[in-house]
Amino acid sequence: MGACVVELARGVSHSISDTTIFGRHDDSTIRLPDVRVSRRHAMIRKQDEETWWFYDLGSYNGSYLNGKRVTTTCPLADGDIITICDTQFRFELRSAWKMPLVPPMPVWDQPGTSAQELTVAPMIVLVSDIKGFTRLSEILAPEDLAQAIGTWYGACEHIIGTQGGAIDKFIGDAVLAYWVDISAEARAAALNASIALRQATHDIHDSMRSVFEAAEGEFSCGVALHLGEVSHGVLSPGTLTMLGDAVNTAFRIQNLTRFVGHDVLASGELFESWPGWPEGKAYCTPLGLHELRGKTSSVNLYSVQSCPAEYS
């Protein structure tokens, strides 16, 4: 299913790609030559074949969806109104008017749907989320929260893309990303991405120090890296997904960053499996075996301290 945004004042239709950037910069997908618009102001990102999400990228003047300021990821529905300064767009699903008003069939009844549409392969999985986001959303003004989390979204896109990874999805204040390449170079790049994501939150905190100090809050993140087999592909018609124990393990490792006193954690599998990259341990501090919630076996964890200079 395709999508577009229609600029209401001029009636101009803009096609939506997998990642569409609104901004003042010449490289923006949809350029808005208004001095109040940030260079990279907002983004629409295709999450799967039928779902688009809207993000503010830390703009000073904010982005609005149906009249409400955007402070985190927002799913888009046909007919939603996006407002960026004085410009309004209507989001349209191009085939929405053709969709029959009948309930969808269960996945197992839909023709052509089978487990063979999922590809199982070892991947590097990265999970990161903002620590204490619920409290931050309560103590910060909406415009300050939007600027902080929006800037972080933009940093995730840039850092992970630069290091050769791909973002599977944003989930509120969390990001799920992966590398299909599991070579030593890719593992080193994943280490670098994890360190850079942590630094990005520190930079955002420093740039808004007065805001966070006044609210007695902090902007920081936890990051987890894991290597394991992942099912990735089409689960049902029009739906892309990542499934498997490796994804669940990465989320549980990330949750441990709140309790072990280390912001960036990697599992032993990142250094020991397929076939291994023992040299990577030189950039980490071993933390030993740790139990993960809901799992019977313990995981050997490392605290990531740095990354190879040639990959930074």
Side-chain angles (χ1 to χ4, degrees), residues 91-168:
F91 176 77
E92 294 184 355
L93 295 174
R94 287 180 171 170
S95 58
W97 63 275
K98 299 179 182 178
M99 296 296 288
L101 296 177
V102 296
M105 291 184 291
V107 167
W108 53 85
D109 287 340
Q110 295 180 5
T113 301
S114 71
Q116 291 164 353
E117 293 174 339
L118 291 173
T119 299
V120 180
M123 296 184 187
I124 302 167
V125 181
L126 180 150
V127 174
S128 179
D129 82 345
I130 301 301
K131 292 184 177 181
F133 183 75
T134 300
R135 179 174 181 271
L136 287 177
S137 65
E138 294 171 348
I139 63 177
L140 293 182
E143 58 270 22
D144 293 327
L145 180 66
Q147 185 175 354
I149 193 71
T151 303
W152 185 72
Y153 290 148
C156 290
E157 288 273 356
H158 175 72
I159 290 168
I160 293 169
T162 299
Q163 296 301 323
I167 292 177
D168 182 76

Side-chain angles (χ1 to χ4, degrees), residues 27 134 172 181 202 212 229 309:
D27 292 340
T134 300
D181 178 7
H202 294 171
F212 287 108
E229 288 192 332

Side-chain angles (χ1 to χ4, degrees), residues 8-253:
L8 296 184
R10 300 191 300 151
V12 176
S13 178
H14 303 268
S15 295
I16 296 297
S17 58
D18 288 355
T19 301
T20 299
I21 303 294
F22 299 81
R24 199 177 72 250
H25 195 275
D26 290 342
D27 292 340
S28 300
T29 316
I30 299 176
R31 185 172 179 270
L32 300 173
D34 182 333
V35 294
R36 295 169 299 168
V37 175
S38 298
R39 290 168 62 83
R40 287 171 54 90
H41 195 104
M43 172 176 66
I44 293 176
R45 192 172 188 276
K46 194 175 185 180
Q47 197 92 308
D48 54 48
E49 289 303 306
E50 296 182 351
T51 308
W52 283 261
W53 290 71
F54 183 60
Y55 311 72
D56 182 83
L57 293 176
S59 66
Y60 181 79
N61 288 309
S63 305
Y64 294 79
L65 182 63
N66 299 325
K68 183 178 180 180
R69 183 157 186 164
V70 172
T71 57
T72 185
T73 55
C74 297
L76 288 169
D78 187 55
D80 279 349
I81 301 299
I82 295 169
T83 304
I84 297 175
C85 296
D86 286 341
T87 306
Q88 286 191 322
F89 300 90
R90 182 176 62 248
F91 176 77
E92 294 184 355
L93 295 174
R94 287 180 171 170
S95 58
W97 63 275
K98 299 179 182 178
M99 296 296 288
L101 296 177
V102 296
M105 291 184 291
V107 167
W108 53 85
D109 287 340
Q110 295 180 5
T113 301
S114 71
Q116 291 164 353
E117 293 174 339
L118 291 173
T119 299
V120 180
M123 296 184 187
I124 302 167
V125 181
L126 180 150
V127 174
S128 179
D129 82 345
I130 301 301
K131 292 184 177 181
F133 183 75
T134 300
R135 179 174 181 271
L136 287 177
S137 65
E138 294 171 348
I139 63 177
L140 293 182
E143 58 270 22
D144 293 327
L145 180 66
Q147 185 175 354
I149 193 71
T151 303
W152 185 72
Y153 290 148
C156 290
E157 288 273 356
H158 175 72
I159 290 168
I160 293 169
T162 299
Q163 296 301 323
I167 292 177
D168 182 76
K169 59 175 65 73
F170 287 102
I171 312 165
D173 60 313
V175 62
L176 171 62
Y178 62 93
W179 284 255
V180 294
D181 178 7
I182 60 169
S183 65
E185 290 78 11
R187 299 183 203 206
L191 284 189
N192 188 58
S194 67
I195 294 292
L197 287 174
R198 179 181 63 182
Q199 185 59 47
T201 59
H202 294 171
D203 293 342
I204 293 167
H205 181 93
D206 288 344
S207 69
M208 302 176 63
R209 182 176 296 277
S210 61
V211 171
F212 287 108
E213 288 182 349
E216 297 182 349
E218 181 181 6
F219 197 75
S220 62
C221 71
V223 188
L225 289 170
H226 181 56
L227 175 60
E229 288 192 332
V230 174
S231 298
H232 188 263
V234 179
L235 178 64
S236 62
T239 303
L240 298 176
T241 189
M242 286 179 68
L243 296 172
D245 182 66
V247 177
N248 295 331
T249 297
F251 274 98
R252 283 164 171 73
I253 292 173

